[in-house]
């Protein structure tokens, strides 16, 4: 629907994506506020354009991978929002914000422009008339320097309320973990002129970037079913983000986000080696997995550390093996 590149701040770049392909890079200069974005329009909407424009969507999911440059500093405020564009003047029926929360984490911050079953907003981002429904903070500090340099999977779910009830849903997963949720929202009362019709990727930094730095977006998807993490190719290969380190490293794979069931241990990997294959030739499967030569269908999480050290990275980089494809 719209692609403001902001003087090429937000552009497609080759070989910088999650799987080695291309990605969208948002390049901020020091003090820069607007860093570009992408607006996707769909369903029945007042503009009469976009994707599947004859349908009404009341329940959607969206997922995007985001990576902040190694050494990133600051909370850029905006990331993704779903909304109802309710007229050609861009007034909104509701907004499902996924943006910067407390402690360098994301949050969900739902708001509605429908009061007493009537639209009261008069312009885009009409904060004076929006009714805020309750911010819920996430848990992973994706904007912190410590979390920079790696891909983070951000998934959200928006379901509108049954007319006349407060049963609307808004959920946020980070790296496959449910971090914030509502299931008691009145998104739009009984008003139903339009439903969910847009999702925006955003790079708008209210106070301006603290320095010159970039972030990347990849594998952006909008769906009527949960999208979940990416499907990994078999045999699964773990790629270290920062190549050329001077110390050996090791990796583990778990079948749950908390690492209660360790599936596979790599053992030490040479410092000059930037990747390791998850198989019996490059590591050992756990007790319940003895005899396996590769991962079976399911969802997995990864963590890494310097070889022989005590402290691991958090469990992150979720991926899945899909049996319906016949391979990973």
């Amino acid at each position: 629907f719209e692609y403001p590149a902001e003087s090429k701040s937000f552009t497609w770049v080759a070989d910088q994506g999650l799987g080695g392909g291309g990605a969208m890079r948002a390049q901020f200069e020091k003090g820069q506020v607007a860093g570009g974005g992408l607006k996707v329009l769909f369903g029945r909407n007042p503009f009469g354009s976009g994707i599947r424009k004859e349908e009404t969507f009341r329940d959607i999911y969206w997922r995007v991978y985001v990576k902040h440059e190694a050494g990133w500093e600051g909370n850029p405020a905006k990331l993704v929002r779903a909304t109802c564009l309710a007229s050609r003047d861009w007034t909104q029926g509701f907004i499902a914000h996924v943006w910067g929360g407390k402690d360098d984490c994301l949050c969900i911050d739902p708001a509605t422009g429908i009061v007493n079953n009537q639209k009261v907003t008069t312009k885009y981002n009409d904060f004076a008339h929006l009714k805020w429904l309750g911010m819920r903070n996430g848990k992973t500090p994706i904007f912190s320097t410590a979390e920079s340099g790696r891909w983070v999977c951000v998934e959200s779910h928006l379901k509108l309320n049954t007319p006349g009830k407060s049963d609307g849903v808004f959920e946020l997963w980070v790296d496959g973990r449910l971090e914030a949720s509502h299931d008691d929202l009145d998104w739009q009362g009984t008003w139903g002129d339009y439903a969910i019709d847009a999702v925006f990727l955003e790079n708008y930094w209210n106070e301006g970037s603290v320095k010159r730095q970039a972030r990347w977006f990849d594998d952006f998807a909008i769906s009527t079913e949960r999208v979940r993490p990416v499907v990994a190719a078999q045999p699964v290969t773990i790629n270290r983000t920062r190549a050329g380190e001077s110390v050996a490293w090791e990796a583990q794979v778990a079948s749950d986000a908390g690492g209660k069931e360790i599936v596979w241990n790599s053992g030490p990997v040479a410092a000059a080696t930037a990747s390791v294959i998850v198989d019996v030739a490059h590591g050992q499967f756990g007790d319940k997995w003895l005899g396996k030569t590769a991962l079976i269908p399911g969802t997995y999480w990864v963590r890494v550390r310097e070889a022989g050290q005590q402290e691991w990275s958090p469990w992150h980089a979720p991926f899945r093996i899909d049996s319906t494809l016949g391979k990973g």
Side-chain angles (χ1 to χ4, degrees):
F1 183 50
E2 280 194 355
Y3 164 47
E6 299 295 340
S7 300
K8 298 185 178 180
S9 290
F10 191 47
T11 55
W12 176 262
V13 290
D15 304 323
Q16 296 183 24
L18 174 65
M24 293 298 293
R25 181 183 64 202
Q27 179 68 63
F28 286 97
E29 300 300 328
K30 183 177 181 179
Q32 184 172 347
V33 173
L38 179 68
K39 297 177 171 66
V40 180
L41 188 68
F42 53 87
R44 190 170 55 84
N45 65 80
F47 299 91
S49 61
I51 303 165
R52 296 168 66 173
K53 58 189 178 183
E54 304 301 323
E55 299 179 55
T56 297
F57 293 96
R58 298 181 56 83
D59 188 359
I60 71 162
Y61 297 80
W62 63 97
R63 182 211 64 195
V64 67
Y65 277 81
V66 60
K67 181 176 73 171
H68 295 84
E69 183 177 353
W72 177 273
E73 295 179 18
N75 187 329
K78 306 300 189 294
L79 187 72
V80 190
R81 73 180 68 191
T83 191
C84 168
L85 297 176
S87 68
R88 296 182 68 87
D89 62 6
W90 285 66
T91 56
Q92 292 160 285
F94 51 83
I95 315 172
H97 300 99
V98 178
W99 56 14
K102 301 176 182 178
D103 303 321
D104 288 325
C105 300
L106 288 169
C107 74
I108 55 174
D109 203 358
T112 181
I114 308 300
V115 177
N116 296 325
N117 304 316
Q118 299 293 321
K119 180 170 67 71
V120 297
T121 49
T122 61
K123 61 181 180 178
Y124 183 73
N125 275 352
D126 191 356
F127 294 148
H129 293 100
L130 286 172
K131 179 181 179 182
W132 297 88
L133 304 177
M135 186 269 279
R136 298 280 172 87
N137 212 62
K139 299 177 181 178
T140 302
I142 75 165
F143 302 122
S144 69
T145 303
E147 290 291 319
S148 64
R150 72 174 183 88
W151 287 101
V152 180
C153 181
V154 179
E155 306 172 80
S156 304
H157 175 212
L158 165 59
K159 182 179 180 180
L160 299 185
N161 60 285
T162 304
K165 296 184 178 181
S166 296
D167 59 359
V169 174
F170 192 12
E171 297 175 296
L172 168 68
W173 294 267
V174 177
D175 276 347
R177 303 176 184 87
L178 181 64
E179 293 205 348
S181 65
H182 273 288
D183 61 5
D184 56 355
L185 298 177
D186 184 359
W187 283 108
Q188 57 179 19
T190 60
W191 181 86
D193 291 7
Y194 295 99
I196 313 166
D197 57 21
V199 175
F200 300 167
L201 284 181
E202 300 177 302
N203 294 293
Y204 191 89
W205 199 323
N206 295 38
E207 293 81 24
S209 179
V210 299
K211 64 179 184 179
R212 189 177 194 272
Q213 54 191 347
R215 68 178 179 182
W216 293 261
F217 295 90
D218 201 358
D219 284 316
F220 177 41
I222 305 168
S223 177
T224 55
E225 298 179 359
R226 189 175 170 195
V227 187
R228 301 183 182 275
V230 297
V231 177
Q234 287 275 41
V236 171
T237 300
I238 298 172
N239 296 294
R240 185 177 61 187
T241 302
R242 300 176 190 174
E245 300 285 355
S246 59
V247 295
W249 59 288
E250 53 189 329
Q252 288 185 330
V253 176
S255 61
D256 62 285
K260 294 180 180 179
E261 184 174 344
I262 305 297
V263 172
W264 180 86
N265 292 275
S266 71
V269 182
T273 304
S275 63
V276 63
I277 299 172
V278 181
D279 61 11
V280 292
H282 297 86
Q284 183 175 1
F285 283 89
D287 291 341
K288 295 182 180 180
W289 294 73
L290 291 178
K292 300 292 184 184
T293 58
L295 297 174
I296 63 175
T299 300
Y300 301 92
W301 285 259
V302 177
R303 68 178 182 179
V304 296
R305 69 177 179 183
E306 292 183 7
Q309 297 300 308
Q310 294 296 316
E311 188 165 345
W312 289 89
S313 72
W315 289 104
H316 64 276
F319 64 91
R320 71 183 192 275
I321 304 298
D322 192 342
S323 61
T324 63
L325 299 179
K327 62 179 182 178

